[in-house]
Short mmCIF file of all heavy atoms in Angstrom, two decimals:
data_model
loop_
_atom_site.label_atom_id
_atom_site.label_comp_id
_atom_site.label_asym_id
_atom_site.label_seq_id
_atom_site.Cartn_x
_atom_site.Cartn_y
_atom_site.Cartn_z
N MET F 30 0.82 -1.19 0.00
CA MET F 30 0.00 0.00 0.00
C MET F 30 0.86 1.26 0.00
O MET F 30 0.48 2.26 -0.58
CB MET F 30 -0.93 0.00 1.22
CG MET F 30 -1.99 -1.09 1.18
SD MET F 30 -2.99 -1.06 -0.30
CE MET F 30 -4.15 0.20 0.13
N ALA F 31 2.01 1.17 0.67
CA ALA F 31 2.89 2.33 0.72
C ALA F 31 3.42 2.67 -0.67
O ALA F 31 3.58 3.84 -1.02
CB ALA F 31 4.04 2.08 1.68
N GLU F 32 3.69 1.64 -1.47
CA GLU F 32 4.19 1.87 -2.83
C GLU F 32 3.10 2.50 -3.71
O GLU F 32 3.40 3.31 -4.58
CB GLU F 32 4.66 0.56 -3.45
CG GLU F 32 5.94 0.02 -2.86
CD GLU F 32 7.13 0.95 -3.07
OE1 GLU F 32 7.25 1.52 -4.17
OE2 GLU F 32 7.91 1.11 -2.13
N LEU F 33 1.86 2.11 -3.50
CA LEU F 33 0.77 2.66 -4.31
C LEU F 33 0.56 4.14 -4.03
O LEU F 33 0.09 4.87 -4.89
CB LEU F 33 -0.53 1.89 -4.06
CG LEU F 33 -0.58 0.49 -4.66
CD1 LEU F 33 -1.87 -0.21 -4.28
CD2 LEU F 33 -0.46 0.56 -6.18
N ARG F 34 0.91 4.59 -2.84
CA ARG F 34 0.77 6.02 -2.52
C ARG F 34 1.80 6.86 -3.27
O ARG F 34 1.62 8.06 -3.44
CB ARG F 34 0.92 6.23 -1.02
CG ARG F 34 -0.28 5.75 -0.26
CD ARG F 34 -0.21 6.16 1.21
NE ARG F 34 -1.09 5.28 1.96
CZ ARG F 34 -0.67 4.32 2.79
NH1 ARG F 34 0.60 4.14 3.00
NH2 ARG F 34 -1.54 3.55 3.40
N LYS F 35 2.89 6.23 -3.72
CA LYS F 35 3.95 6.95 -4.44
C LYS F 35 3.63 7.12 -5.92
O LYS F 35 4.30 7.87 -6.62
CB LYS F 35 5.28 6.20 -4.32
CG LYS F 35 5.80 6.12 -2.90
CD LYS F 35 7.09 5.31 -2.87
CE LYS F 35 7.58 5.10 -1.46
NZ LYS F 35 8.80 4.27 -1.43
N VAL F 36 2.63 6.42 -6.41
CA VAL F 36 2.30 6.45 -7.84
C VAL F 36 1.73 7.82 -8.19
O VAL F 36 0.87 8.37 -7.50
CB VAL F 36 1.27 5.35 -8.19
CG1 VAL F 36 0.81 5.48 -9.63
CG2 VAL F 36 1.87 3.99 -7.93
N VAL F 37 2.24 8.38 -9.30
CA VAL F 37 1.72 9.66 -9.81
C VAL F 37 0.94 9.36 -11.08
O VAL F 37 1.51 8.87 -12.06
CB VAL F 37 2.88 10.64 -10.12
CG1 VAL F 37 2.34 11.93 -10.69
CG2 VAL F 37 3.69 10.89 -8.87
N TYR F 38 -0.35 9.61 -11.05
CA TYR F 38 -1.20 9.34 -12.19
C TYR F 38 -1.18 10.52 -13.15
O TYR F 38 -1.11 11.67 -12.71
CB TYR F 38 -2.63 9.05 -11.73
CG TYR F 38 -2.74 7.77 -10.94
CD1 TYR F 38 -2.77 7.78 -9.56
CD2 TYR F 38 -2.77 6.55 -11.59
CE1 TYR F 38 -2.84 6.60 -8.84
CE2 TYR F 38 -2.85 5.37 -10.88
CZ TYR F 38 -2.89 5.41 -9.50
OH TYR F 38 -2.95 4.24 -8.79
N PRO F 39 -1.22 10.26 -14.46
CA PRO F 39 -1.20 11.36 -15.43
C PRO F 39 -2.49 12.17 -15.37
O PRO F 39 -3.56 11.63 -15.08
CB PRO F 39 -1.06 10.66 -16.78
CG PRO F 39 -1.58 9.29 -16.55
CD PRO F 39 -1.28 8.96 -15.12
N GLY F 40 -2.36 13.44 -15.69
CA GLY F 40 -3.54 14.30 -15.75
C GLY F 40 -4.30 14.06 -17.04
O GLY F 40 -3.91 13.25 -17.88
N ARG F 41 -5.40 14.76 -17.19
CA ARG F 41 -6.25 14.56 -18.36
C ARG F 41 -5.51 14.89 -19.66
O ARG F 41 -5.59 14.15 -20.63
CB ARG F 41 -7.52 15.40 -18.23
CG ARG F 41 -8.52 15.15 -19.32
CD ARG F 41 -9.78 15.99 -19.07
NE ARG F 41 -10.86 15.56 -19.91
CZ ARG F 41 -11.74 14.63 -19.58
NH1 ARG F 41 -11.66 14.02 -18.43
NH2 ARG F 41 -12.72 14.31 -20.41
N SER F 42 -4.78 16.00 -19.69
CA SER F 42 -4.08 16.40 -20.93
C SER F 42 -2.97 15.42 -21.27
O SER F 42 -2.76 15.09 -22.44
CB SER F 42 -3.54 17.82 -20.80
OG SER F 42 -2.56 17.88 -19.78
N GLU F 43 -2.24 14.95 -20.25
CA GLU F 43 -1.19 13.96 -20.51
C GLU F 43 -1.79 12.66 -21.02
O GLU F 43 -1.24 12.03 -21.93
CB GLU F 43 -0.40 13.68 -19.24
CG GLU F 43 0.48 14.81 -18.79
CD GLU F 43 1.15 14.50 -17.47
OE1 GLU F 43 0.49 13.96 -16.56
OE2 GLU F 43 2.35 14.81 -17.35
N LEU F 44 -2.91 12.26 -20.43
CA LEU F 44 -3.56 11.02 -20.84
C LEU F 44 -4.03 11.10 -22.29
O LEU F 44 -3.85 10.16 -23.06
CB LEU F 44 -4.74 10.73 -19.92
CG LEU F 44 -5.39 9.37 -20.05
CD1 LEU F 44 -4.38 8.27 -19.76
CD2 LEU F 44 -6.57 9.27 -19.11
N VAL F 45 -4.60 12.24 -22.68
CA VAL F 45 -5.04 12.43 -24.06
C VAL F 45 -3.84 12.37 -25.00
O VAL F 45 -3.91 11.76 -26.07
CB VAL F 45 -5.81 13.77 -24.20
CG1 VAL F 45 -6.04 14.12 -25.66
CG2 VAL F 45 -7.12 13.70 -23.45
N THR F 46 -2.73 12.98 -24.60
CA THR F 46 -1.52 12.96 -25.42
C THR F 46 -1.00 11.54 -25.58
O THR F 46 -0.65 11.11 -26.68
CB THR F 46 -0.43 13.85 -24.79
OG1 THR F 46 -0.94 15.17 -24.65
CG2 THR F 46 0.82 13.86 -25.64
N TYR F 47 -0.95 10.79 -24.50
CA TYR F 47 -0.47 9.41 -24.55
C TYR F 47 -1.35 8.54 -25.44
O TYR F 47 -0.84 7.74 -26.23
CB TYR F 47 -0.39 8.80 -23.16
CG TYR F 47 0.60 9.45 -22.22
CD1 TYR F 47 0.44 9.37 -20.84
CD2 TYR F 47 1.69 10.14 -22.70
CE1 TYR F 47 1.34 9.96 -19.97
CE2 TYR F 47 2.60 10.75 -21.84
CZ TYR F 47 2.41 10.64 -20.48
OH TYR F 47 3.31 11.23 -19.63
N VAL F 48 -2.65 8.70 -25.32
CA VAL F 48 -3.57 7.92 -26.14
C VAL F 48 -3.39 8.26 -27.61
O VAL F 48 -3.36 7.37 -28.47
CB VAL F 48 -5.03 8.15 -25.69
CG1 VAL F 48 -6.01 7.58 -26.69
CG2 VAL F 48 -5.26 7.53 -24.32
N ALA F 49 -3.24 9.55 -27.92
CA ALA F 49 -3.04 9.96 -29.32
C ALA F 49 -1.75 9.38 -29.88
O ALA F 49 -1.72 8.88 -31.01
CB ALA F 49 -3.04 11.48 -29.42
N VAL F 50 -0.68 9.43 -29.10
CA VAL F 50 0.60 8.89 -29.56
C VAL F 50 0.49 7.40 -29.82
O VAL F 50 0.97 6.89 -30.84
CB VAL F 50 1.72 9.20 -28.53
CG1 VAL F 50 2.97 8.40 -28.82
CG2 VAL F 50 2.03 10.68 -28.51
N VAL F 51 -0.16 6.68 -28.92
CA VAL F 51 -0.30 5.23 -29.09
C VAL F 51 -1.14 4.92 -30.33
O VAL F 51 -0.78 4.04 -31.12
CB VAL F 51 -0.91 4.58 -27.82
CG1 VAL F 51 -1.34 3.16 -28.09
CG2 VAL F 51 0.10 4.63 -26.69
N LEU F 52 -2.25 5.62 -30.52
CA LEU F 52 -3.09 5.37 -31.68
C LEU F 52 -2.37 5.67 -32.99
O LEU F 52 -2.48 4.91 -33.96
CB LEU F 52 -4.38 6.19 -31.59
CG LEU F 52 -5.38 5.72 -30.53
CD1 LEU F 52 -6.57 6.66 -30.48
CD2 LEU F 52 -5.81 4.30 -30.79
N ILE F 53 -1.62 6.76 -33.03
CA ILE F 53 -0.86 7.10 -34.24
C ILE F 53 0.21 6.05 -34.50
O ILE F 53 0.39 5.59 -35.64
CB ILE F 53 -0.26 8.51 -34.13
CG1 ILE F 53 -1.37 9.55 -34.18
CG2 ILE F 53 0.77 8.76 -35.22
CD1 ILE F 53 -0.93 10.95 -33.83
N PHE F 54 0.92 5.63 -33.46
CA PHE F 54 1.97 4.62 -33.62
C PHE F 54 1.39 3.30 -34.11
O PHE F 54 1.93 2.68 -35.04
CB PHE F 54 2.71 4.42 -32.29
CG PHE F 54 3.78 3.38 -32.36
CD1 PHE F 54 4.98 3.66 -32.98
CD2 PHE F 54 3.58 2.12 -31.82
CE1 PHE F 54 5.99 2.69 -33.05
CE2 PHE F 54 4.57 1.16 -31.89
CZ PHE F 54 5.77 1.44 -32.51
N VAL F 55 0.28 2.87 -33.53
CA VAL F 55 -0.34 1.62 -33.95
C VAL F 55 -0.82 1.72 -35.39
O VAL F 55 -0.68 0.76 -36.17
CB VAL F 55 -1.49 1.25 -32.99
CG1 VAL F 55 -2.35 0.14 -33.55
CG2 VAL F 55 -0.93 0.86 -31.64
N THR F 56 -1.37 2.85 -35.79
CA THR F 56 -1.83 3.04 -37.17
C THR F 56 -0.66 2.98 -38.15
O THR F 56 -0.76 2.33 -39.19
CB THR F 56 -2.56 4.39 -37.30
OG1 THR F 56 -3.65 4.41 -36.37
CG2 THR F 56 -3.08 4.60 -38.69
N VAL F 57 0.44 3.63 -37.81
CA VAL F 57 1.61 3.62 -38.70
C VAL F 57 2.20 2.22 -38.82
O VAL F 57 2.51 1.76 -39.93
CB VAL F 57 2.68 4.63 -38.20
CG1 VAL F 57 4.00 4.43 -38.90
CG2 VAL F 57 2.18 6.05 -38.35
N VAL F 58 2.33 1.51 -37.70
CA VAL F 58 2.89 0.17 -37.75
C VAL F 58 1.96 -0.78 -38.50
O VAL F 58 2.42 -1.61 -39.30
CB VAL F 58 3.17 -0.35 -36.32
CG1 VAL F 58 3.50 -1.83 -36.32
CG2 VAL F 58 4.30 0.44 -35.70
N THR F 59 0.66 -0.63 -38.32
CA THR F 59 -0.30 -1.46 -39.04
C THR F 59 -0.23 -1.21 -40.53
O THR F 59 -0.25 -2.16 -41.33
CB THR F 59 -1.73 -1.20 -38.53
OG1 THR F 59 -1.76 -1.48 -37.13
CG2 THR F 59 -2.74 -2.06 -39.24
N ALA F 60 -0.13 0.05 -40.93
CA ALA F 60 -0.02 0.38 -42.35
C ALA F 60 1.27 -0.18 -42.94
O ALA F 60 1.28 -0.70 -44.06
CB ALA F 60 -0.08 1.89 -42.54
N PHE F 61 2.36 -0.10 -42.18
CA PHE F 61 3.64 -0.62 -42.65
C PHE F 61 3.57 -2.14 -42.85
O PHE F 61 3.99 -2.66 -43.89
CB PHE F 61 4.75 -0.26 -41.67
CG PHE F 61 6.08 -0.88 -42.01
CD1 PHE F 61 6.82 -0.41 -43.08
CD2 PHE F 61 6.57 -1.94 -41.27
CE1 PHE F 61 8.04 -0.99 -43.41
CE2 PHE F 61 7.78 -2.51 -41.59
CZ PHE F 61 8.52 -2.04 -42.66
N VAL F 62 3.04 -2.84 -41.88
CA VAL F 62 2.96 -4.30 -41.97
C VAL F 62 2.00 -4.71 -43.09
O VAL F 62 2.30 -5.66 -43.84
CB VAL F 62 2.52 -4.90 -40.61
CG1 VAL F 62 2.19 -6.37 -40.74
CG2 VAL F 62 3.62 -4.70 -39.58
N ALA F 63 0.89 -4.01 -43.24
CA ALA F 63 -0.06 -4.33 -44.30
C ALA F 63 0.56 -4.10 -45.67
O ALA F 63 0.39 -4.93 -46.58
CB ALA F 63 -1.32 -3.50 -44.15
N SER F 64 1.29 -3.00 -45.84
CA SER F 64 1.93 -2.75 -47.14
C SER F 64 3.04 -3.75 -47.41
O SER F 64 3.23 -4.19 -48.55
CB SER F 64 2.46 -1.32 -47.21
OG SER F 64 3.47 -1.12 -46.25
N LEU F 65 3.78 -4.13 -46.39
CA LEU F 65 4.82 -5.15 -46.55
C LEU F 65 4.19 -6.48 -46.93
O LEU F 65 4.68 -7.17 -47.85
CB LEU F 65 5.60 -5.28 -45.24
CG LEU F 65 6.88 -6.09 -45.26
CD1 LEU F 65 7.90 -5.44 -46.18
CD2 LEU F 65 7.44 -6.19 -43.85
N ASP F 66 3.10 -6.84 -46.29
CA ASP F 66 2.39 -8.08 -46.60
C ASP F 66 1.87 -8.05 -48.04
O ASP F 66 2.03 -9.02 -48.79
CB ASP F 66 1.24 -8.28 -45.62
CG ASP F 66 0.45 -9.54 -45.90
OD1 ASP F 66 1.08 -10.61 -46.01
OD2 ASP F 66 -0.79 -9.45 -46.01
N PHE F 67 1.27 -6.93 -48.42
CA PHE F 67 0.74 -6.81 -49.78
C PHE F 67 1.86 -6.89 -50.81
O PHE F 67 1.75 -7.61 -51.81
CB PHE F 67 0.00 -5.47 -49.91
CG PHE F 67 -0.60 -5.24 -51.26
CD1 PHE F 67 -1.76 -5.89 -51.62
CD2 PHE F 67 0.00 -4.39 -52.18
CE1 PHE F 67 -2.34 -5.68 -52.87
CE2 PHE F 67 -0.55 -4.18 -53.42
CZ PHE F 67 -1.72 -4.83 -53.77
N GLY F 68 2.96 -6.18 -50.56
CA GLY F 68 4.09 -6.20 -51.50
C GLY F 68 4.72 -7.57 -51.63
O GLY F 68 5.03 -8.02 -52.74
N LEU F 69 4.93 -8.24 -50.51
CA LEU F 69 5.53 -9.56 -50.57
C LEU F 69 4.59 -10.57 -51.23
O LEU F 69 5.05 -11.47 -51.94
CB LEU F 69 5.92 -10.03 -49.16
CG LEU F 69 7.11 -9.32 -48.54
CD1 LEU F 69 7.32 -9.77 -47.11
CD2 LEU F 69 8.37 -9.52 -49.35
N THR F 70 3.30 -10.43 -51.00
CA THR F 70 2.34 -11.31 -51.66
C THR F 70 2.40 -11.14 -53.16
O THR F 70 2.42 -12.12 -53.92
CB THR F 70 0.91 -11.03 -51.15
OG1 THR F 70 0.88 -11.25 -49.74
CG2 THR F 70 -0.10 -11.93 -51.82
N LYS F 71 2.43 -9.88 -53.61
CA LYS F 71 2.52 -9.62 -55.06
C LYS F 71 3.83 -10.16 -55.63
O LYS F 71 3.85 -10.73 -56.73
CB LYS F 71 2.40 -8.12 -55.34
CG LYS F 71 1.03 -7.57 -55.12
CD LYS F 71 0.05 -8.13 -56.11
CE LYS F 71 -1.30 -7.49 -55.94
NZ LYS F 71 -2.29 -8.05 -56.86
N ALA F 72 4.92 -10.00 -54.90
CA ALA F 72 6.22 -10.48 -55.37
C ALA F 72 6.24 -12.00 -55.46
O ALA F 72 6.72 -12.56 -56.46
CB ALA F 72 7.33 -10.00 -54.43
N ILE F 73 5.73 -12.68 -54.46
CA ILE F 73 5.70 -14.15 -54.47
C ILE F 73 4.81 -14.65 -55.60
O ILE F 73 5.17 -15.61 -56.30
CB ILE F 73 5.22 -14.69 -53.11
CG1 ILE F 73 6.21 -14.36 -52.02
CG2 ILE F 73 4.97 -16.18 -53.15
CD1 ILE F 73 7.58 -14.95 -52.18
N LEU F 74 3.67 -14.02 -55.79
CA LEU F 74 2.79 -14.43 -56.89
C LEU F 74 3.42 -14.17 -58.25
O LEU F 74 3.21 -14.94 -59.19
CB LEU F 74 1.43 -13.73 -56.78
CG LEU F 74 0.52 -14.21 -55.65
CD1 LEU F 74 -0.75 -13.37 -55.58
CD2 LEU F 74 0.18 -15.68 -55.83
N ALA F 75 4.18 -13.09 -58.37
CA ALA F 75 4.86 -12.80 -59.64
C ALA F 75 5.96 -13.82 -59.91
O ALA F 75 6.19 -14.21 -61.05
CB ALA F 75 5.44 -11.39 -59.61
N ILE F 76 6.65 -14.25 -58.86
CA ILE F 76 7.76 -15.19 -59.04
C ILE F 76 7.23 -16.60 -59.30
O ILE F 76 7.69 -17.28 -60.23
CB ILE F 76 8.66 -15.20 -57.78
CG1 ILE F 76 9.38 -13.85 -57.66
CG2 ILE F 76 9.65 -16.35 -57.83
CD1 ILE F 76 10.12 -13.67 -56.36
N PHE F 77 6.28 -17.05 -58.51
CA PHE F 77 5.83 -18.43 -58.60
C PHE F 77 4.52 -18.61 -59.36
O PHE F 77 4.04 -19.73 -59.51
CB PHE F 77 5.67 -19.02 -57.18
CG PHE F 77 6.96 -19.12 -56.45
CD1 PHE F 77 7.22 -18.31 -55.34
CD2 PHE F 77 7.96 -20.00 -56.84
CE1 PHE F 77 8.40 -18.39 -54.67
CE2 PHE F 77 9.15 -20.09 -56.16
CZ PHE F 77 9.37 -19.28 -55.07
N GLY F 78 3.95 -17.51 -59.83
CA GLY F 78 2.75 -17.59 -60.66
C GLY F 78 1.55 -17.86 -59.89
O GLY F 78 0.53 -18.26 -60.13
#
């Protein structure tokens, strides 16, 4: 319980900023993986028919 009293919770503005950063990062990584998957699929199909 003593350790829980030391925890500093983020304020509303910090929380909104953190959520926005996480959502943007997840969107960028998802787009990257999807484009990589699409590109590799096209390449494999072009090579092996």
Side-chain angles (χ1 to χ4, degrees):
M30 293 305 278
E32 289 297 319
L33 287 177
R34 287 189 201 108
K35 297 178 185 178
V36 174
V37 178
Y38 293 99
R41 186 177 193 90
S42 63
E43 290 176 317
L44 190 60
V45 169
T46 302
Y47 296 155
V48 168
V50 167
V51 168
L52 289 177
I53 291 170
F54 179 76
V55 167
T56 303
V57 168
V58 169
T59 302
F61 174 73
V62 170
S64 63
L65 191 63
D66 179 52
F67 181 77
L69 288 175
T70 300
K71 289 293 184 182
I73 295 298
L74 288 176
I76 292 171
F77 295 112

